[in-house]
Amino acid sequence: MTADTVSTVGVFLLRTFRGIISPIRRKTSDYHLQEGHSQNSHKTSAGMASNFTPPTPKPGLLVLDVDWTLWPFHTDMDVSPPFKKDSSGEVKDSRGKAIQPFPDVPRILDWLKGNGYTLALASRTWAPSDMERLLVLLDWNKYFSYKEIYRGTKTKHFSRFTQNSGVPYSKMLFFDDEDINIHEIGDIGVMCIFVTHGLNWNLLKEGLEKYAKERS
């Protein structure tokens, strides 16, 4: 059995048995419970972005997780390919479910790129081709200089980041929603910020200020 076959079977099993494992993971419905608060904070994010001066020093590489950090679902479990963009520009999966990021994320990506941050993506998804397709449809690849999207440990992702970028771990800042990733990547010297209900402006600001204060 080839590696591609194993991956395909793994994704199929994850999607088939999502109902069985849902009690031990967060679900899209968990996000909707927080959506009202997120939308309120989104109303002020434009003003916060325009009034916030990037603290220095900046991280040499700012790394973002994807699932449950940039959007409220697991790519390999909660959505169904193929994905398409309709005439209105909205991205949907094969069941007609709209693919939407957390409310502040599009503005955050624009702000980070506009202020000269070098960005990277790190994901342990079992469905890398599906994630890559969503990144294309959302037009997000323009933001990221580096991407490591494949199952395994994120220590491998970060090893590739430092090899490809030349940025040492001590000059990196990482946002992720899983404890295991926060601990593993923190242990190699990367400053890590734990994400609870998606990346938002307040969390980004706190992370950048913490980095500037502790790594100056």
Side-chain angles (χ1 to χ4, degrees):
M1 185 177 292
T2 67
D4 287 344
T5 301
V6 171
S7 180
T8 300
V9 171
V11 173
F12 172 78
L13 290 174
L14 283 172
R15 288 184 170 134
T16 300
F17 295 104
R18 67 166 64 92
I20 297 174
I21 66 173
S22 62
I24 61 172
R25 65 174 177 85
R26 286 170 298 179
K27 300 167 290 187
T28 304
S29 58
D30 296 329
Y31 162 64
H32 290 307
L33 294 175
Q34 301 292 327
E35 196 170 29
H37 173 73
S38 296
Q39 294 291 355
N40 289 336
S41 65
H42 183 55
K43 293 177 182 178
T44 61
S45 65
M48 294 176 69
S50 62
N51 294 324
F52 180 52
T53 300
T56 54
K58 295 179 181 178
L61 188 64
L62 195 155
V63 184
L64 300 171
D65 172 49
V66 184
D67 291 342
W68 284 102
T69 297
L70 300 184
W71 53 49
F73 55 83
H74 287 102
T75 304
D76 51 21
M77 288 192 283
D78 300 321
V79 291
S80 299
F83 307 104
K84 295 182 179 180
K85 183 181 291 187
D86 64 21
S87 58
S88 70
E90 187 172 42
V91 178
K92 295 183 179 180
D93 74 356
S94 61
R95 296 173 294 173
K97 177 180 178 179
I99 303 298
Q100 297 178 333
F102 283 107
D104 287 352
V105 166
R107 185 176 295 277
I108 284 173
L109 294 178
D110 278 336
W111 185 88
L112 288 169
K113 194 68 174 178
N115 281 279
Y117 290 88
T118 302
L119 305 181
L121 283 181
S123 175
R124 298 189 299 125
T125 183
W126 279 66
S129 61
D130 293 340
M131 183 172 286
E132 291 278 13
R133 177 61 177 161
L134 289 177
L135 293 172
V136 169
L137 291 173
L138 292 169
D139 194 27
W140 281 7
N141 282 325
K142 63 187 178 185
Y143 297 115
F144 299 100
S145 301
Y146 306 96
K147 294 186 297 180
E148 297 295 327
I149 299 175
Y150 44 84
R151 60 192 177 92
T153 66
K154 285 198 173 174
T155 52
K156 182 177 180 180
H157 295 161
F158 275 78
S159 176
R160 293 290 298 273
F161 287 145
T162 196
Q163 290 173 19
N164 293 333
S165 70
V167 178
Y169 295 141
S170 62
K171 301 295 184 181
M172 295 182 185
L173 178 62
F174 178 43
F175 291 83
D176 194 283
D177 71 303
E178 294 189 27
D179 283 323
I180 186 172
N181 297 329
I182 294 294
H183 290 305
E184 287 184 352
I185 301 307
D187 284 345
I188 63 174
V190 176
M191 178 172 288
C192 299
I193 306 297
F194 184 62
V195 179
T196 54
H197 295 292
L199 184 64
N200 58 54
W201 180 256
N202 286 328
L203 188 62
L204 175 72
K205 183 173 181 287
E206 291 170 8
L208 294 176
E209 290 177 342
K210 177 179 173 66
Y211 180 92
K213 180 180 180 180
E214 298 184 13
R215 298 293 169 95
S216 59

